[in-house]
Amino acid sequence: MIHVLTIFRVLLIVSSILFSVAYGQSGRLLTKLSEKEQHIAAHRGAHKEFPENSIASILEAIRLGVSVVEIDIRSTKDGVLILMHDATVDRTTTGKGKVSQLTYAEIQTLYLRDTPAGAASNCHIPTLKEVLRLCRGKIILDIDFKEENEKYVAKTFELIAAENMEDEVLFFLYDHRLIEKFYKLNPRITLFPRARSMKDLHEILKSKRTSIIHIDESFDNYNELVKLKDQGVILWMNTLGDIDEKALREGSTVYEIFLKKYPYVRIIQTDNPSLWKNMLSGMHRQ
């Protein structure tokens, strides 16, 4: 069994090298992703234990040993990139108002809440720079760029480069048609687009800019997706919402069923990183 796993890992590493040459993405990042069959991405950090998008939630994701932590980025009124999902600070902090209308000095006075609309924690809102430095060499960052002003994409890329994190970042794209535009900003940063159909998926691969793609349960081209995985394409899917909630009620068997149904998925984003991690660890011990 060990020899089979070793051969599998070697094949994955070879395919990652081939894809890094053929596609505009980080070879080091692909090599890291080739080390395991499945990877867990902690949605907004381990936010069920600590405030979402907080340093504490990211540190917990690192402690758990998951491969990826997803964060949300917005800009303050004076152009400081911070971690914040919503357009306002109302739901997750002790303050009120639009992020874009608050200065960083004002943001610094706020505390994140333990849970949405819950009690105040002792956590402040972190900057992207802080988080890049925290995660370097420890975990891959998936940046979900929520900021409406597109000019801050260039600033985000500049910051990633300045912190030597180009090989440890995925930059999520809701619209795959933006691939070429953002690729030109910095070809070393790996773009991570969402495909809403097989047509989208084919267009993304045809662009030769990335082989890491977000899909969902609506994709039913089973044989083709398995073949793409075997060729080195890295497919990402979420268990956020119903699946994660069901797993909390019924146990990790829910995740085992998910893997059997979607064997072509390599990265799973979840609100339950600890439960997923324990389940995968148990499978690998068998």
Side-chain angles (χ1 to χ4, degrees), residues 1-274:
M1 183 66 176
I2 294 174
H3 293 302
V4 172
L5 288 173
T6 302
I7 293 169
F8 175 75
R9 286 176 182 138
V10 169
L11 290 173
L12 284 176
I13 290 170
V14 170
S15 66
S16 75
I17 292 171
L18 292 174
F19 268 80
S20 69
V21 172
Y23 289 74
Q25 54 198 334
S26 166
R28 284 179 60 193
L29 188 147
L30 285 178
T31 298
K32 186 171 183 178
L33 290 175
S34 71
E35 293 172 355
K36 291 189 288 188
E37 172 73 358
Q38 277 95 25
H39 294 270
I40 300 307
H43 182 231
R44 305 181 199 173
H47 71 86
K48 291 197 173 181
E49 286 76 34
F50 300 94
E52 67 177 64
N53 281 310
S54 67
I55 293 292
S57 71
I58 295 169
L59 284 172
E60 179 63 7
I62 293 170
R63 188 194 70 79
L64 287 170
V66 300
S67 302
V68 183
V69 61
E70 185 261 4
I71 60 172
D72 303 289
I73 299 299
R74 289 187 182 272
S75 175
T76 63
K77 183 178 181 179
D78 46 349
V80 178
L81 296 169
I82 63 168
L83 273 60
M84 182 63 56
H85 178 276
D86 300 358
T88 73
V89 298
D90 299 24
R91 179 179 65 90
T92 57
T93 82
T94 53
K96 290 190 178 298
K98 289 186 176 181
V99 179
S100 60
Q101 294 177 1
L102 296 170
T103 66
Y104 179 57
E106 291 170 321
I107 287 287
Q108 283 183 299
T109 67
L110 307 180
Y111 289 90
L112 291 167
R113 295 187 181 278
D114 285 327
T115 58
S121 73
N122 60 357
C123 298
H124 289 283
I125 301 167
T127 65
L128 175 58
K129 180 184 285 189
E130 288 177 278
V131 171
L132 287 167
R133 292 178 177 179
L134 173 68
C135 293
R136 187 164 55 221
K138 300 183 185 77
I139 196 167
I140 296 168
L141 267 180
D142 168 36
I143 295 180
D144 191 341
F145 191 79
K146 288 290 197 294
E147 172 59 45
E148 288 92 348
N149 193 332
E150 199 176 283
K151 75 176 184 181
Y152 287 110
V153 174
K155 185 169 183 176
T156 300
F157 278 30
E158 289 167 6
L159 190 55
I160 292 167
E163 296 299 328
N164 297 314
M165 282 287 285
E166 290 158 308
D167 294 322
E168 300 177 68
V169 164
L170 294 169
F171 189 85
F172 181 63
L173 296 178
Y174 288 92
D175 186 349
H176 74 279
R177 292 170 297 183
L178 294 170
I179 286 176
E180 200 62 31
K181 181 178 182 179
F182 288 173
Y183 174 79
K184 290 176 181 176
L185 293 175
N186 188 334
R188 289 189 57 199
I189 293 174
T190 301
L191 300 176
F192 164 47
R194 179 171 183 172
R196 289 174 170 79
S197 66
M198 287 303 293
K199 179 176 178 290
D200 287 353
L201 193 152
H202 292 148
E203 287 177 0
I204 291 165
L205 293 175
K206 189 177 179 180
S207 76
K208 298 293 183 184
R209 298 309 189 200
T210 187
S211 60
I212 305 175
I213 304 168
H214 187 305
I215 63 171
D216 57 47
E217 303 96 297
S218 67
F219 283 67
D220 57 5
N221 302 64
Y222 183 93
N223 292 334
E224 184 177 355
L225 293 170
V226 169
K227 186 180 295 185
L228 286 172
K229 177 193 174 186
D230 292 341
Q231 292 171 353
V233 176
I234 297 173
L235 298 173
W236 168 306
M237 191 181 288
N238 296 341
T239 56
L240 309 175
D242 292 344
I243 298 173
D244 276 348
E245 290 169 10
K246 187 176 182 181
L248 284 177
R249 294 193 307 269
E250 302 178 16
S252 60
T253 302
V254 172
Y255 291 151
E256 294 174 16
I257 294 169
F258 176 90
L259 289 179
K260 288 177 182 176
K261 187 175 182 181
Y262 307 109
Y264 43 80
V265 172
R266 294 285 307 283
I267 305 178
I268 301 129
Q269 180 173 224
T270 178
D271 284 329
N272 301 329
S274 180

